[in-house]
mmCIF file of all heavy atoms in Angstrom:
data_model
loop_
_atom_site.group_PDB
_atom_site.id
_atom_site.type_symbol
_atom_site.label_atom_id
_atom_site.label_comp_id
_atom_site.label_asym_id
_atom_site.label_seq_id
_atom_site.Cartn_x
_atom_site.Cartn_y
_atom_site.Cartn_z
ATOM 1 N N THR G 1 33.120 107.186 106.875
ATOM 2 C CA THR G 1 33.104 106.877 105.444
ATOM 3 C C THR G 1 31.781 107.370 104.890
ATOM 4 O O THR G 1 30.736 106.743 105.073
ATOM 5 C CB THR G 1 33.254 105.368 105.192
ATOM 6 O OG1 THR G 1 34.483 104.930 105.775
ATOM 7 C CG2 THR G 1 33.267 105.061 103.699
ATOM 8 N N GLY G 2 31.806 108.533 104.255
ATOM 9 C CA GLY G 2 30.584 109.109 103.709
ATOM 10 C C GLY G 2 29.979 110.157 104.620
ATOM 11 O O GLY G 2 30.215 110.184 105.835
ATOM 12 N N LEU G 3 29.174 111.024 104.022
ATOM 13 C CA LEU G 3 28.601 112.158 104.734
ATOM 14 C C LEU G 3 27.451 111.771 105.658
ATOM 15 O O LEU G 3 27.353 112.281 106.786
ATOM 16 C CB LEU G 3 28.113 113.193 103.712
ATOM 17 C CG LEU G 3 27.530 114.497 104.259
ATOM 18 C CD1 LEU G 3 28.577 115.270 105.045
ATOM 19 C CD2 LEU G 3 26.979 115.348 103.121
ATOM 20 N N ASN G 4 26.566 110.896 105.217
ATOM 21 C CA ASN G 4 25.338 110.621 105.965
ATOM 22 C C ASN G 4 25.565 110.096 107.388
ATOM 23 O O ASN G 4 24.939 110.591 108.327
ATOM 24 C CB ASN G 4 24.433 109.676 105.176
ATOM 25 C CG ASN G 4 23.791 110.371 103.990
ATOM 26 O OD1 ASN G 4 23.600 111.577 104.009
ATOM 27 N ND2 ASN G 4 23.470 109.617 102.961
ATOM 28 N N PRO G 5 26.448 109.092 107.598
ATOM 29 C CA PRO G 5 26.662 108.637 108.980
ATOM 30 C C PRO G 5 27.243 109.732 109.874
ATOM 31 O O PRO G 5 26.913 109.818 111.059
ATOM 32 C CB PRO G 5 27.632 107.458 108.838
ATOM 33 C CG PRO G 5 28.230 107.585 107.480
ATOM 34 C CD PRO G 5 27.199 108.251 106.638
ATOM 35 N N ALA G 6 28.073 110.592 109.310
ATOM 36 C CA ALA G 6 28.633 111.703 110.092
ATOM 37 C C ALA G 6 27.540 112.690 110.482
ATOM 38 O O ALA G 6 27.499 113.173 111.621
ATOM 39 C CB ALA G 6 29.717 112.410 109.290
ATOM 40 N N MET G 7 26.626 112.976 109.555
ATOM 41 C CA MET G 7 25.549 113.917 109.847
ATOM 42 C C MET G 7 24.587 113.351 110.899
ATOM 43 O O MET G 7 24.080 114.098 111.754
ATOM 44 C CB MET G 7 24.784 114.267 108.569
ATOM 45 C CG MET G 7 25.585 115.094 107.571
ATOM 46 S SD MET G 7 26.121 116.725 108.185
ATOM 47 C CE MET G 7 27.821 116.385 108.669
ATOM 48 N N LEU G 8 24.360 112.059 110.866
ATOM 49 C CA LEU G 8 23.511 111.427 111.888
ATOM 50 C C LEU G 8 24.136 111.590 113.273
ATOM 51 O O LEU G 8 23.457 111.932 114.246
ATOM 52 C CB LEU G 8 23.303 109.943 111.568
ATOM 53 C CG LEU G 8 22.383 109.617 110.392
ATOM 54 C CD1 LEU G 8 22.410 108.122 110.095
ATOM 55 C CD2 LEU G 8 20.954 110.070 110.684
ATOM 56 N N ASP G 9 25.439 111.367 113.368
ATOM 57 C CA ASP G 9 26.128 111.518 114.650
ATOM 58 C C ASP G 9 26.185 112.978 115.092
ATOM 59 O O ASP G 9 26.091 113.290 116.289
ATOM 60 C CB ASP G 9 27.548 110.950 114.565
ATOM 61 C CG ASP G 9 27.584 109.440 114.802
ATOM 62 O OD1 ASP G 9 26.493 108.836 114.943
ATOM 63 O OD2 ASP G 9 28.686 108.875 114.855
ATOM 64 N N LEU G 10 26.339 113.890 114.143
ATOM 65 C CA LEU G 10 26.384 115.309 114.473
ATOM 66 C C LEU G 10 25.042 115.769 115.050
ATOM 67 O O LEU G 10 24.986 116.444 116.082
ATOM 68 C CB LEU G 10 26.734 116.127 113.229
ATOM 69 C CG LEU G 10 26.908 117.637 113.428
ATOM 70 C CD1 LEU G 10 28.027 117.935 114.409
ATOM 71 C CD2 LEU G 10 27.179 118.323 112.083
ATOM 72 N N LYS G 11 23.962 115.376 114.400
ATOM 73 C CA LYS G 11 22.627 115.765 114.866
ATOM 74 C C LYS G 11 22.296 115.128 116.211
ATOM 75 O O LYS G 11 21.566 115.715 117.025
ATOM 76 C CB LYS G 11 21.580 115.373 113.822
ATOM 77 C CG LYS G 11 21.678 116.154 112.520
ATOM 78 C CD LYS G 11 20.693 115.616 111.492
ATOM 79 C CE LYS G 11 20.863 116.294 110.138
ATOM 80 N NZ LYS G 11 19.941 115.744 109.119
ATOM 81 N N ALA G 12 22.845 113.928 116.441
ATOM 82 C CA ALA G 12 22.565 113.221 117.699
ATOM 83 C C ALA G 12 23.483 113.655 118.832
ATOM 84 O O ALA G 12 23.318 113.216 119.973
ATOM 85 C CB ALA G 12 22.703 111.717 117.483
ATOM 86 N N GLY G 13 24.472 114.502 118.533
ATOM 87 C CA GLY G 13 25.376 114.992 119.568
ATOM 88 C C GLY G 13 26.536 114.078 119.875
ATOM 89 O O GLY G 13 27.250 114.290 120.867
ATOM 90 N N ARG G 14 26.760 113.067 119.038
ATOM 91 C CA ARG G 14 27.876 112.151 119.283
ATOM 92 C C ARG G 14 29.213 112.750 118.829
ATOM 93 O O ARG G 14 30.272 112.289 119.234
ATOM 94 C CB ARG G 14 27.604 110.808 118.600
ATOM 95 C CG ARG G 14 26.503 109.997 119.298
ATOM 96 C CD ARG G 14 26.336 108.626 118.691
ATOM 97 N NE ARG G 14 25.647 108.668 117.412
ATOM 98 C CZ ARG G 14 24.321 108.570 117.262
ATOM 99 N NH1 ARG G 14 23.538 108.445 118.340
ATOM 100 N NH2 ARG G 14 23.761 108.612 116.078
ATOM 101 N N ILE G 15 29.156 113.757 117.963
ATOM 102 C CA ILE G 15 30.324 114.582 117.656
ATOM 103 C C ILE G 15 29.880 116.038 117.749
ATOM 104 O O ILE G 15 28.681 116.345 117.677
ATOM 105 C CB ILE G 15 30.929 114.284 116.260
ATOM 106 C CG1 ILE G 15 29.890 114.481 115.148
ATOM 107 C CG2 ILE G 15 31.530 112.893 116.222
ATOM 108 C CD1 ILE G 15 30.456 114.318 113.740
ATOM 109 N N ASP G 16 30.829 116.942 117.895
ATOM 110 C CA ASP G 16 30.485 118.351 118.097
ATOM 111 C C ASP G 16 30.537 119.173 116.814
ATOM 112 O O ASP G 16 29.908 120.228 116.720
ATOM 113 C CB ASP G 16 31.449 118.964 119.120
ATOM 114 C CG ASP G 16 31.402 118.227 120.451
ATOM 115 O OD1 ASP G 16 30.357 118.291 121.120
ATOM 116 O OD2 ASP G 16 32.406 117.560 120.788
ATOM 117 N N GLY G 17 31.308 118.698 115.854
ATOM 118 C CA GLY G 17 31.432 119.428 114.597
ATOM 119 C C GLY G 17 31.897 118.503 113.490
ATOM 120 O O GLY G 17 32.280 117.347 113.737
ATOM 121 N N TYR G 18 31.861 119.001 112.270
ATOM 122 C CA TYR G 18 32.277 118.208 111.113
ATOM 123 C C TYR G 18 33.030 119.122 110.155
ATOM 124 O O TYR G 18 32.590 120.249 109.876
ATOM 125 C CB TYR G 18 31.055 117.605 110.421
ATOM 126 C CG TYR G 18 31.390 116.675 109.279
ATOM 127 C CD1 TYR G 18 31.889 115.389 109.521
ATOM 128 C CD2 TYR G 18 31.210 117.072 107.956
ATOM 129 C CE1 TYR G 18 32.192 114.533 108.466
ATOM 130 C CE2 TYR G 18 31.513 116.220 106.902
ATOM 131 C CZ TYR G 18 32.002 114.955 107.167
ATOM 132 O OH TYR G 18 32.308 114.100 106.130
ATOM 133 N N ILE G 19 34.169 118.657 109.655
ATOM 134 C CA ILE G 19 34.995 119.451 108.746
ATOM 135 C C ILE G 19 35.001 118.796 107.366
ATOM 136 O O ILE G 19 35.371 117.627 107.225
ATOM 137 C CB ILE G 19 36.436 119.580 109.287
ATOM 138 C CG1 ILE G 19 36.440 120.388 110.590
ATOM 139 C CG2 ILE G 19 37.347 120.245 108.251
ATOM 140 C CD1 ILE G 19 37.789 120.459 111.272
ATOM 141 N N SER G 20 34.582 119.580 106.355
ATOM 142 C CA SER G 20 34.546 119.059 104.986
ATOM 143 C C SER G 20 34.403 120.223 104.009
ATOM 144 O O SER G 20 34.348 121.384 104.411
ATOM 145 C CB SER G 20 33.387 118.067 104.816
ATOM 146 O OG SER G 20 33.485 117.414 103.560
ATOM 147 N N ASP G 21 34.330 119.903 102.694
ATOM 148 C CA ASP G 21 34.209 120.922 101.644
ATOM 149 C C ASP G 21 32.990 121.799 101.887
ATOM 150 O O ASP G 21 31.877 121.289 102.067
ATOM 151 C CB ASP G 21 34.077 120.271 100.272
ATOM 152 C CG ASP G 21 35.301 119.461 99.886
ATOM 153 O OD1 ASP G 21 36.333 119.600 100.555
ATOM 154 O OD2 ASP G 21 35.216 118.694 98.913
ATOM 155 N N ILE G 22 33.161 123.104 101.820
ATOM 156 C CA ILE G 22 32.069 124.015 102.136
ATOM 157 C C ILE G 22 30.872 123.900 101.181
ATOM 158 O O ILE G 22 29.728 123.964 101.642
ATOM 159 C CB ILE G 22 32.565 125.478 102.255
ATOM 160 C CG1 ILE G 22 31.488 126.348 102.931
ATOM 161 C CG2 ILE G 22 33.024 126.031 100.923
ATOM 162 C CD1 ILE G 22 32.004 127.692 103.389
ATOM 163 N N PRO G 23 31.046 123.704 99.858
ATOM 164 C CA PRO G 23 29.850 123.611 99.018
ATOM 165 C C PRO G 23 28.981 122.407 99.357
ATOM 166 O O PRO G 23 27.752 122.496 99.357
ATOM 167 C CB PRO G 23 30.407 123.521 97.588
ATOM 168 C CG PRO G 23 31.819 123.094 97.752
ATOM 169 C CD PRO G 23 32.272 123.662 99.044
ATOM 170 N N ALA G 24 29.616 121.278 99.652
ATOM 171 C CA ALA G 24 28.847 120.068 99.978
ATOM 172 C C ALA G 24 28.018 120.269 101.243
ATOM 173 O O ALA G 24 26.857 119.856 101.320
ATOM 174 C CB ALA G 24 29.780 118.876 100.145
ATOM 175 N N LEU G 25 28.602 120.945 102.245
ATOM 176 C CA LEU G 25 27.893 121.127 103.513
ATOM 177 C C LEU G 25 26.841 122.214 103.427
ATOM 178 O O LEU G 25 25.769 122.106 104.045
ATOM 179 C CB LEU G 25 28.885 121.404 104.634
ATOM 180 C CG LEU G 25 29.421 120.158 105.352
ATOM 181 C CD1 LEU G 25 28.287 119.389 106.028
ATOM 182 C CD2 LEU G 25 30.170 119.212 104.423
ATOM 183 N N LEU G 26 27.095 123.265 102.678
ATOM 184 C CA LEU G 26 26.074 124.292 102.480
ATOM 185 C C LEU G 26 24.861 123.694 101.771
ATOM 186 O O LEU G 26 23.708 123.969 102.126
ATOM 187 C CB LEU G 26 26.634 125.461 101.659
ATOM 188 C CG LEU G 26 27.541 126.441 102.390
ATOM 189 C CD1 LEU G 26 28.151 127.434 101.405
ATOM 190 C CD2 LEU G 26 26.775 127.196 103.481
ATOM 191 N N TYR G 27 25.123 122.865 100.764
ATOM 192 C CA TYR G 27 24.022 122.245 100.026
ATOM 193 C C TYR G 27 23.271 121.260 100.920
ATOM 194 O O TYR G 27 22.036 121.232 100.917
ATOM 195 C CB TYR G 27 24.566 121.531 98.791
ATOM 196 C CG TYR G 27 23.470 120.993 97.889
ATOM 197 C CD1 TYR G 27 22.701 121.863 97.123
ATOM 198 C CD2 TYR G 27 23.211 119.631 97.806
ATOM 199 C CE1 TYR G 27 21.702 121.377 96.294
ATOM 200 C CE2 TYR G 27 22.208 119.138 96.985
ATOM 201 C CZ TYR G 27 21.458 120.018 96.229
ATOM 202 O OH TYR G 27 20.458 119.540 95.416
ATOM 203 N N TYR G 28 23.987 120.481 101.715
ATOM 204 C CA TYR G 28 23.333 119.535 102.633
ATOM 205 C C TYR G 28 22.463 120.292 103.629
ATOM 206 O O TYR G 28 21.314 119.906 103.893
ATOM 207 C CB TYR G 28 24.376 118.704 103.373
ATOM 208 C CG TYR G 28 23.759 117.687 104.320
ATOM 209 C CD1 TYR G 28 23.512 116.382 103.905
ATOM 210 C CD2 TYR G 28 23.409 118.043 105.621
ATOM 211 C CE1 TYR G 28 22.927 115.462 104.755
ATOM 212 C CE2 TYR G 28 22.825 117.124 106.485
ATOM 213 C CZ TYR G 28 22.584 115.839 106.046
ATOM 214 O OH TYR G 28 21.993 114.928 106.902
ATOM 215 N N ALA G 29 22.989 121.377 104.194
ATOM 216 C CA ALA G 29 22.227 122.152 105.180
ATOM 217 C C ALA G 29 20.961 122.728 104.563
ATOM 218 O O ALA G 29 19.904 122.760 105.200
ATOM 219 C CB ALA G 29 23.102 123.271 105.743
ATOM 220 N N LYS G 30 21.054 123.160 103.309
ATOM 221 C CA LYS G 30 19.896 123.739 102.620
ATOM 222 C C LYS G 30 18.834 122.689 102.326
ATOM 223 O O LYS G 30 17.640 122.897 102.558
ATOM 224 C CB LYS G 30 20.341 124.403 101.318
ATOM 225 C CG LYS G 30 19.196 124.931 100.455
ATOM 226 C CD LYS G 30 19.744 125.531 99.173
ATOM 227 C CE LYS G 30 18.619 126.054 98.285
ATOM 228 N NZ LYS G 30 17.790 124.960 97.711
ATOM 229 N N VAL G 31 19.267 121.541 101.823
ATOM 230 C CA VAL G 31 18.321 120.522 101.355
ATOM 231 C C VAL G 31 17.783 119.655 102.493
ATOM 232 O O VAL G 31 16.591 119.343 102.551
ATOM 233 C CB VAL G 31 18.983 119.633 100.275
ATOM 234 C CG1 VAL G 31 18.088 118.459 99.901
ATOM 235 C CG2 VAL G 31 19.310 120.462 99.042
ATOM 236 N N THR G 32 18.656 119.268 103.427
ATOM 237 C CA THR G 32 18.282 118.303 104.464
ATOM 238 C C THR G 32 17.971 118.975 105.801
ATOM 239 O O THR G 32 17.073 118.562 106.525
ATOM 240 C CB THR G 32 19.407 117.265 104.646
ATOM 241 O OG1 THR G 32 19.710 116.686 103.372
ATOM 242 C CG2 THR G 32 18.976 116.167 105.603
ATOM 243 N N GLY G 33 18.737 120.001 106.153
ATOM 244 C CA GLY G 33 18.502 120.717 107.409
ATOM 245 C C GLY G 33 19.075 119.993 108.612
ATOM 246 O O GLY G 33 19.658 118.909 108.515
ATOM 247 N N GLY G 34 18.909 120.596 109.781
ATOM 248 C CA GLY G 34 19.395 120.009 111.027
ATOM 249 C C GLY G 34 20.822 120.352 111.366
ATOM 250 O O GLY G 34 21.303 120.042 112.468
ATOM 251 N N VAL G 35 21.530 120.994 110.432
ATOM 252 C CA VAL G 35 22.913 121.402 110.661
ATOM 253 C C VAL G 35 23.108 122.795 110.075
ATOM 254 O O VAL G 35 22.296 123.267 109.276
ATOM 255 C CB VAL G 35 23.930 120.424 110.030
ATOM 256 C CG1 VAL G 35 23.761 119.017 110.578
ATOM 257 C CG2 VAL G 35 23.800 120.425 108.502
ATOM 258 N N LYS G 36 24.210 123.447 110.453
ATOM 259 C CA LYS G 36 24.526 124.770 109.913
ATOM 260 C C LYS G 36 26.032 124.916 109.745
ATOM 261 O O LYS G 36 26.812 124.412 110.562
ATOM 262 C CB LYS G 36 23.985 125.869 110.821
ATOM 263 C CG LYS G 36 24.505 125.807 112.264
ATOM 264 C CD LYS G 36 23.844 126.854 113.154
ATOM 265 C CE LYS G 36 24.346 126.757 114.602
ATOM 266 N NZ LYS G 36 23.701 127.722 115.502
#
């Protein structure tokens, strides 16, 4: 539920990938980093 908990798990290796709207993830990767 929500992007932030998923990104925390992705960075920690608890999941291998994340599927969502491309603009939201491109913007998150640019602003926050740690994912691509």
Side-chain angles (χ1 to χ4, degrees):
T1 301
L3 183 62
N4 287 333
M7 291 298 99
L8 288 173
D9 276 5
L10 184 60
K11 293 175 185 178
R14 288 185 285 270
I15 58 175
D16 302 293
Y18 185 74
I19 294 174
S20 189
D21 297 347
I22 194 166
L25 271 298
L26 283 173
Y27 186 72
Y28 181 93
K30 175 182 179 291
V31 173
T32 306
V35 301
K36 58 185 179 182

